[in-house]
Amino acid sequence: MTAVIGMVAFILVMIGISTSAILSGVLYVNLGAQVDEVASTVQPRTAFQASAESVLESTRFPGGTLLVSNTGPRLTGAVMDDDGPRALTDDDLSQIAQTLQSADSTAQTVDLPNLGEYFVRSYPAPGGGAFLVGLPLSNVTGTIGAILTTVALVTAGGLLLLAVIIAIVIRLGLRPLRAVAETATRVASLRMEEGDVSITERVPADQVDTNTEIGQVGAALNTLLDRVDASLTARQRNEELMRRFVADASHELRTPLASIRGFSELSLRAMRQAQDDESRQRIALAVETTEQSLERIQAQSVRMTTLVEDLLLLARLDEGQELVYGAVDLTRLAVEAVGDARPAGPDHSWTIDVPDRPVELAGDASRLHQVVANLLANARTHTPPGSEVAVSVAHEGDEAVLRVHDDGPGIDPSVAAQLFERFARADRSRDRKTGGTGLGLSIARAIVEAHRGTISVRSVPGDTTFEVRLPAKPADPA
């Protein structure tokens, strides 16, 4: 703002100086014309008047007119005062003569003693000799001074008004930036290290205008805060999932470990009792108890191994590993999976619908078989005996589609959104026969997504369908 005001002030001052210089030149020209006009009036009278005072008395001359003449026997001079012509004394004439002699020969402006500054010119007299006529510069200097004073006052007032206007414009123009700064300050004061953090602060809508550069700053900040807020929400959700994951994994591992510990203690106790009592009955009982305990320990070890392998598989799939690509016939894979599921669920009705031609794709056959097996196991586990489970395979466009449908009770809407999350369960129990570990569907989703496919579910009571879509090889021309 200071630079703008300084530049405007400089321009106004230069305009004032230029105006004064031009007007001064015009006034001097006019004053020279007036001197010439007075000289033309004085010139014919010098032949008849003996002194300068008598010449000035002969007619009316402008106030302050100076006349010095040497047309008579001696040098005379007079000046027109308010009361009329006043003769100059010999001392005045002597000082004027000395001033004129010391002045530049081309000078027309001289500072005369006791009279002030005058504009003078000399003219020849008709009868011989010469005379000098002058007019005071007070009118010219007064006019120029008034102009300079006016210019100075107008400049000062204009600069003051300009400063006020610029200050108002800048404050109005920077209001959106102040809103941005205030919003950024409030956001900076939030604690985002931990916990559920939500950034609700935004630049007000009336301070956001994408048509102006300053308004775009506010819009950009709002966009940034939206993305940061979304990232913080995702972080919080991931933290909650991780805590739940650790809790579920810990519980799943604690149960078999507790069983292993209990059965091992039971075996040791039975063996100690058999050592204290050497009867055949006690020894036989200890052997039977130890055998049952070892069987349970083995079962729980298998359960822990399966859980750890599932977790390891998910980790490797997240890193893009564990897939061995080859040609896969999805039709054959579905037929085999249903054949494996029938003995495990003899009290269910199993049907399959596949096209005549193979539906082929590029993928990992063993992992895709695991997807189908998990979906069939999920349908068998969460539907009552007598339910129908139907598997279908189709080639739709450039996709291979596998559907697993059942007519069971459906999926609880409260868990539908997290159905494919790790350790998610439609049955909240930890029973292995019903609740499971909650990793089957998450593994299925990870495998499908690793094949650049999608898995989804639609469920209402009596109608639940899981759908897997994978990129298929183009069908052979007929």
Side-chain angles (χ1 to χ4, degrees), residues 108-154:
Q108 293 182 321
T109 302
V110 293
D111 188 4
L112 301 178
N114 302 324
L115 295 177
E117 287 190 320
Y118 265 76
F119 185 90
V120 297
R121 284 180 180 173
S122 60
Y123 301 90
F131 63 92
L132 182 143
V133 177
L135 289 175
L137 291 174
S138 56
N139 292 335
V140 174
T141 56
T143 302
I144 294 176
I147 292 174
L148 291 177
T149 301
T150 303
V151 169
L153 293 176
V154 171

Side-chain angles (χ1 to χ4, degrees), residues 35-63:
V35 170
D36 289 340
E37 183 179 356
V38 171
S40 64
T41 304
V42 169
Q43 193 172 27
R45 288 174 171 76
T46 57
F48 306 102
Q49 304 295 334
S51 65
E53 183 179 4
S54 61
V55 172
L56 293 180
E57 288 177 346
S58 63
T59 186
R60 184 176 183 81
F61 289 95

Side-chain angles (χ1 to χ4, degrees), residues 222-415:
N222 282 348
T223 302
L224 175 63
L225 293 178
D226 290 339
R227 294 184 178 179
V228 171
D229 189 39
S231 299
L232 292 174
T233 302
R235 185 200 70 177
Q236 178 63 21
R237 182 171 177 271
N238 290 336
E239 289 180 354
E240 292 175 355
L241 290 175
M242 182 59 67
R243 285 194 292 268
R244 189 175 69 182
F245 173 83
V246 172
D248 289 340
S250 300
H251 186 93
E252 292 295 334
L253 292 173
R254 183 180 63 181
T255 301
L257 287 174
S259 299
I260 290 173
R261 179 180 178 183
F263 286 118
S264 62
E265 290 177 352
L266 180 61
S267 299
L268 289 173
R269 186 182 303 114
M271 294 179 65
R272 292 192 184 100
Q273 290 176 352
Q275 291 175 354
D276 295 339
D277 188 350
E278 297 180 354
S279 64
R280 290 183 177 180
Q281 183 179 3
R282 178 67 67 178
I283 293 174
L285 179 61
V287 170
E288 181 181 0
T289 301
T290 301
E291 183 178 1
Q292 293 177 352
S293 298
L294 290 175
E295 290 176 353
R296 295 303 302 161
I297 289 173
Q298 183 182 24
Q300 296 300 327
S301 299
V302 171
R303 181 180 178 183
M304 282 195 302
T305 301
T306 302
L307 176 61
V308 172
E309 288 179 350
D310 288 345
L311 292 175
L312 182 59
L313 173 61
L314 284 172
R316 290 177 175 175
L317 289 174
D318 288 342
E319 295 177 356
Q321 304 177 10
E322 201 65 23
L323 294 181
V324 179
Y325 281 88
V328 180
D329 183 354
L330 188 60
T331 303
R332 179 178 178 181
L333 189 147
V335 171
E336 293 176 351
V338 172
D340 295 339
R342 279 196 176 100
D347 51 357
H348 285 67
S349 175
W350 302 90
T351 62
I352 185 168
D353 179 18
V354 296
D356 297 335
R357 293 185 177 182
V359 177
E360 296 183 339
L361 54 90
D364 189 322
S366 63
R367 294 307 175 195
L368 291 176
H369 185 278
Q370 187 176 1
V371 171
V372 182
N374 286 354
L375 293 178
L376 295 179
N378 184 75
R380 183 188 72 247
T381 303
H382 297 290
T383 56
S387 299
E388 179 181 0
V389 180
V391 179
S392 64
V393 177
H395 195 294
E396 298 179 0
D398 57 352
E399 292 181 326
V401 182
L402 171 75
R403 296 184 178 91
V404 177
H405 172 269
D406 68 71
D407 57 0
I411 300 173
D412 186 355
S414 63
V415 299

